[in-house]
Structure formats: C-alpha cells, structure tokens
Amino acid sequence: MKSIEAAEIAALDTNKVTLLDIRSKEEYELNSFSGSVNVPFDEISTGLSKLPKDKPVYVLCRTGDLSAEVAEILEDRGYDVYNIEGGYAAYTVYLAGKTV
C-alpha cells in the first residue's frame, strides 16, 4: 500500500486528487481540509460510490489506522490510493512544530 506523511497533506491539490476524510461528521466539522470529502468510517460500505476513480484518493482518519484499512479496500477495488500515515493527529503535531 502506498502512503504519505501527514505533513504532505497541505501540498495536495484537491482539484487533482480526492482527499477522503473518514473521521466522524463531528470531527470533520470541527477541523477539515478545504475540498475534502467526508465519508465516516461507519458509512464506508455505502459511501465509497461517491468517490471518483479518475484521480488518486488520499485517505485520512484520526490516527492512520482505520485509513489504512479503507485504503486496502479501495486498492482492492482498483483505486489509486494512498494512506496518510499518522492521520489528523500527526498533522496537528506537524503544524504545532511549524509554529515553534
């Protein structure tokens, strides 16, 4: 499975890739990335049909564990998919380090 570091999220162009955020609706509404798509993990079985297959999909969760599972499912279904290692938690640590 392909993956990227959480610090690389900011460089993603959501016009060229799909950023799939599988955190809960509440977490997504509190902090999310512009242009991302929210399909909570517990809705994955019905929500995957919303994803286009014509561009890479980057999967984000809170810690990187559930996104790895979803990335495997998408990979099995023919998507060009990447897991975001460490998830949103790692991204917030990266942002905190940038401001120090």
Side-chain angles (χ1 to χ4, degrees):
M1 171 190 345
K2 298 179 282 190
S3 63
I4 66 166
E5 298 289 324
E8 298 175 69
I9 296 172
L12 295 176
D13 179 352
T14 54
N15 292 314
K16 296 180 181 175
V17 304
T18 299
L19 179 55
L20 173 61
D21 190 329
I22 63 168
R23 296 176 300 148
S24 70
K25 288 186 188 315
E26 294 79 18
E27 288 174 298
Y28 181 79
E29 288 170 3
L30 285 174
N31 295 300
S32 61
F33 294 95
S34 177
S36 62
V37 176
N38 180 230
V39 179
F41 181 76
D42 58 354
E43 297 174 17
I44 283 297
S45 61
T46 58
L48 292 182
S49 61
K50 298 177 186 176
L51 300 177
K53 279 193 169 179
D54 63 343
K55 54 187 180 177
V57 177
Y58 290 77
V59 187
L60 173 74
C61 70
R62 186 180 313 126
T63 61
D65 296 329
L66 292 176
S67 58
E69 287 183 39
V70 171
E72 284 183 30
I73 292 167
L74 290 172
E75 192 173 57
D76 290 346
R77 293 184 181 191
Y79 285 86
D80 180 15
V81 63
Y82 296 79
N83 179 46
I84 299 174
E85 293 181 6
Y88 198 83
Y91 185 71
T92 57
V93 168
Y94 160 73
L95 288 180
K98 282 184 66 173
T99 59
V100 172

